[in-house]
Amino acid sequence: MTEETTEAGGAATEEAGAAGKASAEEPAAGTAAAGETAPRRRGRPSRKAAADGPDARTRILEAARTEFAERGYDKTSVRGIAKAAGVDAALVHHYFGTKDGVFAAAVELTFEPALVLPAVLDGPPEGLGERLAAFFLSVWEDPGTRTPLLAILRSAVTHEAAANVLRDFVLRRLLERIAAELDVPDPTLRAELAASHMLGIVMLRYVVRAEPLASADPAEIVAMVAPTLQRYVAGR
């Protein structure tokens, strides 16, 4: 064998080895390199994640309500909610889409006690203002609902997206239902005026904690507010 043949064979062997090493080190198309995380695709989660079903959705909602309450809208993230719920972020996107979607669902969960309005609306018309005031204060007096409600209210004050979600829910799910039961001119405006009156009380009593309103007995507040609400919702 000649010297040229030996050198040529050695060079070919080295090139083949280098090519094989490069091929082994380069990731295949669509596969992340070693040590890197493949990009997560949004949409329907894996069969294993989806198998968690309603329990996972409930955990996500509870985690979202806690996260929004403790961190506010701006500092809450889908990833943080997923971590708190013990699920993959893809599952949050699957059920709720965006952070606004999770926030809207958390608002509905938090306002769930307020959806028993038919019991308030079904009584005698002359006592509607008193029933509305008593029910509204009872929701805010309950620590279990007051904390997340305050967080939602603060988020709506500081963030437009949160305000849009809250406004849509309050108008669509609460005030429109009240207005539908009012046999008076301008029922929607009257319902909104009643709500604005009660929200003013909420801000001063539970957020600003202005005295003596912050320490007043709920029954005393109801007695003083009821005639005004009655005038709003009944026109007299």
Side-chain angles (χ1 to χ4, degrees):
M1 180 179 296
T2 65
E3 187 176 28
E4 290 82 354
T5 303
T6 302
E7 290 178 354
T13 302
E14 288 178 0
E15 290 178 0
K21 183 178 179 181
S23 177
E25 290 178 349
E26 292 180 357
T31 304
E36 296 182 359
T37 302
R40 193 183 309 281
R41 292 188 304 172
R42 293 185 179 182
R44 189 172 184 85
S46 67
R47 183 176 300 178
K48 180 180 182 299
D52 290 335
D55 289 340
R57 189 180 190 280
T58 300
R59 291 202 308 273
I60 291 170
L61 273 180
E62 291 292 350
R65 188 164 72 163
T66 300
E67 288 288 300
F68 284 121
E70 294 180 352
R71 301 173 62 82
Y73 184 90
D74 287 334
K75 295 183 179 180
T76 297
S77 66
V78 169
R79 187 180 297 276
I81 292 171
K83 182 178 180 180
V87 301
D88 192 278
L91 199 60
V92 181
H93 288 296
H94 168 65
Y95 283 126
F96 304 104
T98 63
K99 186 170 83 168
D100 285 357
V102 186
F103 183 75
V107 168
E108 185 161 359
L109 177 68
T110 302
F111 272 90
E112 191 172 7
L115 298 181
V116 300
L117 277 173
V120 177
L121 298 173
D122 287 344
E126 61 272 15
L128 180 56
E130 182 178 358
R131 293 195 303 276
L132 281 173
F135 178 73
F136 192 87
L137 278 178
S138 71
V139 172
W140 284 90
E141 284 295 304
D142 181 355
T145 53
R146 181 170 65 243
T147 299
L149 282 172
L150 284 174
I152 287 171
L153 187 61
R154 292 187 182 109
S155 295
V157 170
T158 59
H159 199 283
E160 183 60 26
N164 287 337
V165 170
L166 183 59
R167 181 166 53 245
D168 178 68
F169 179 83
V170 170
L171 291 176
R172 179 173 50 85
R173 298 296 299 277
L174 297 179
L175 296 186
E176 285 186 1
R177 294 173 63 183
I178 295 175
E181 299 294 326
L182 302 182
D183 186 20
V184 290
D186 303 315
T188 300
L189 176 60
R190 290 175 178 273
E192 289 179 357
L193 286 171
S196 70
H197 194 97
M198 295 306 299
L199 284 175
I201 291 174
V202 165
M203 291 296 294
L204 286 176
R205 179 174 171 85
Y206 303 105
V207 179
V208 179
R209 299 195 62 78
E211 295 291 355
L213 180 60
S215 301
D217 184 89
E220 181 181 1
I221 297 175
V222 169
M224 297 183 71
V225 169
T228 300
L229 296 187
Q230 185 69 24
R231 188 177 74 254
Y232 283 143
V233 298
R236 59 182 181 276

